[in-house]
Amino acid sequence: MSRSFKDKVVIVTGSSSGVGAHAAIYFAYNYASVVLTGRNVERLNEVFRKCKESGVPRERLLVIQADVTRRSELARIVDETVKKFGKIDILINNAGEGKFGGLMQSTADDFDKCMETNVKSVLNLTKLATPHLIKTKGNVVNVSSLLGSISVPAALVYSMAKASINQFTKCVAMELAPHGVRVNAICPSYVEDTRFIEGSLLNIPDIETFNQSKERQHPLHRNVRMEDCTKAIAFLASEDAAFITGTLLPIDGGRKCTDVSYAGPMLSSNR
Ligand code: NDP
């Protein structure tokens, strides 16, 4: 895919690792001015370095250390972006954190923290960016999850958070459509090679075995790769998706079509 984002200003939250870092590098490589933001400065600098190594001039990059759960820091992301680049065209609400456990393991504090990081931050940042997005007739892509629409009991509060993001996406898409601003979401199932599992504090002794068990849940028989997410994000953020808004795009190798316990082809071929 060679899609140019020349003259576009893109904010990617959570671009210090995983899906966000991959997408940010893609946008920068495709000529956008990109705001890299997250809490971990070392990892942000590493992404900055990778962008520069692929030929992106430093003038098109802005690194902002910020915690998305703090409203004042979200305001700083918007202010510093507009100060440096003069506008905002695309907002990628990607920063997020997993939280696993069923009803009896989940506390009210878990719920609050999960909603602060995954939902309230998206509401606050989108609100702050909206006047700028209206000026540019820009767009928003939220990184939701397949867990926002399928029910996995062991991911209770996280699933509740991502279900909220799905409704947020659709409601705000309708609200902003008269202004020419589009709002969409991608809904990946399990993405390999990010820091997500580490961050969720899931106790997984053997990641290889875990990855293989996840592969079997996807009819296309592999897990999601970061580039699958990036391509979908870039498509939704681009002019190619000019007539698409309020969509929740599964990136799941067909998993949503199946029962969640899907473990391989179910039809026997001996007749
Ligand atoms: P990573 O843990 O690799 O990335 C998460 C990113 O979010 C990091 O850059 C982290 O930055 C940032 N972040 C988390 N909390 C905060 C905070 N309070 N303030 C600012 N930044 C924050 O995981 P992924 O790349 O996998 O996750 C990206 C998105 O994809 C998330 O929304 C996640 O829910 C979603 N997703 C992931 C799936 C997976 O299987 N990996 C599946 C479906 C959806 P830092 O630590 O520097 O603050």
Side-chain angles (χ1 to χ4, degrees):
M1 182 169 60
S2 78
R3 186 168 278 132
S4 175
F5 288 92
K6 193 166 181 303
D7 300 327
K8 300 293 183 194
V9 176
V10 187
I11 298 173
V12 185
T13 67
S15 38
S16 52
S17 76
V19 172
H22 197 278
I25 293 168
Y26 178 91
F27 279 116
Y29 186 73
N30 285 282
Y31 307 103
S33 296
V34 178
V35 178
L36 306 169
T37 181
R39 292 164 302 182
N40 188 304
V41 178
E42 256 173 46
R43 288 201 280 267
L44 282 174
N45 287 339
E46 178 64 15
V47 177
F48 178 84
R49 193 184 56 73
K50 281 188 183 157
C51 290
K52 283 199 43 232
E53 269 174 14
S54 53
V56 179
R58 73 166 54 232
E59 303 77 60
R60 283 203 283 107
L61 299 168
L62 176 61
V63 175
I64 304 175
Q65 183 190 22
D67 182 335
V68 294
T69 63
R70 298 193 178 147
R71 201 179 175 285
S72 62
E73 301 194 9
L74 295 175
R76 193 160 50 76
I77 294 175
V78 169
D79 292 347
E80 288 185 21
T81 302
V82 174
K83 190 169 168 212
K84 181 169 170 77
F85 297 124
K87 61 172 185 160
I88 303 169
D89 295 287
I90 297 166
L91 171 62
I92 311 297
N93 283 314
N94 164 76
E97 220 166 43
K99 182 74 215 167
F100 293 90
L103 177 64
M104 302 314 282
Q105 293 88 40
S106 302
T107 65
D109 285 348
D110 292 336
F111 175 81
D112 287 346
K113 186 166 184 296
C114 195
M115 294 302 275
E116 290 274 341
T117 308
N118 293 296
V119 184
K120 208 166 156 189
S121 63
V122 173
L123 173 85
N124 283 333
L125 184 58
T126 307
K127 233 170 138 167
L128 290 162
T130 287
H132 303 282
L133 293 169
I134 288 175
K135 281 187 202 154
T136 56
K137 297 203 185 304
N139 70 81
V140 179
V141 181
N142 297 319
V143 179
S144 183
S145 167
L146 186 64
L147 292 180
S149 57
I150 68 171
S151 304
V152 175
L156 179 62
V157 296
Y158 179 73
S159 302
M160 291 166 80
K162 292 301 191 181
S164 299
I165 289 298
N166 290 354
Q167 277 299 345
F168 176 84
T169 301
K170 294 195 276 188
C171 293
V172 180
M174 282 185 278
E175 185 175 342
L176 297 185
H179 301 281
V181 175
R182 299 182 299 106
V183 185
N184 291 294
I186 65 160
C187 303
S189 54
Y190 173 60
V191 189
E192 274 184 10
D193 297 330
T194 77
R195 304 181 68 86
F196 184 78
I197 292 292
E198 197 183 307
S200 70
L201 303 178
L202 269 181
N203 184 16
I204 294 168
D206 175 8
I207 192 73
E208 283 303 315
T209 310
F210 181 77
N211 284 348
Q212 283 163 11
S213 73
K214 288 286 169 192
E215 279 172 9
R216 289 194 291 276
Q217 294 177 337
H218 298 97
L220 285 177
H221 219 275
R222 68 164 171 83
N223 294 317
V224 185
R225 297 176 185 143
M226 282 185 267
E227 61 259 35
D228 297 320
C229 297
T230 291
K231 285 176 187 169
I233 291 169
F235 166 66
L236 290 171
S238 77
E239 275 305 300
D240 290 352
F243 205 56
I244 299 177
T245 196
T247 206
L248 309 173
L249 182 61
I251 315 293
D252 67 350
R255 185 174 169 198
K256 189 162 187 241
C257 305
T258 72
D259 180 80
V260 284
S261 60
Y262 181 82
M266 291 177 203
L267 293 175
S268 95
S269 56
N270 57 358
R271 65 186 172 113

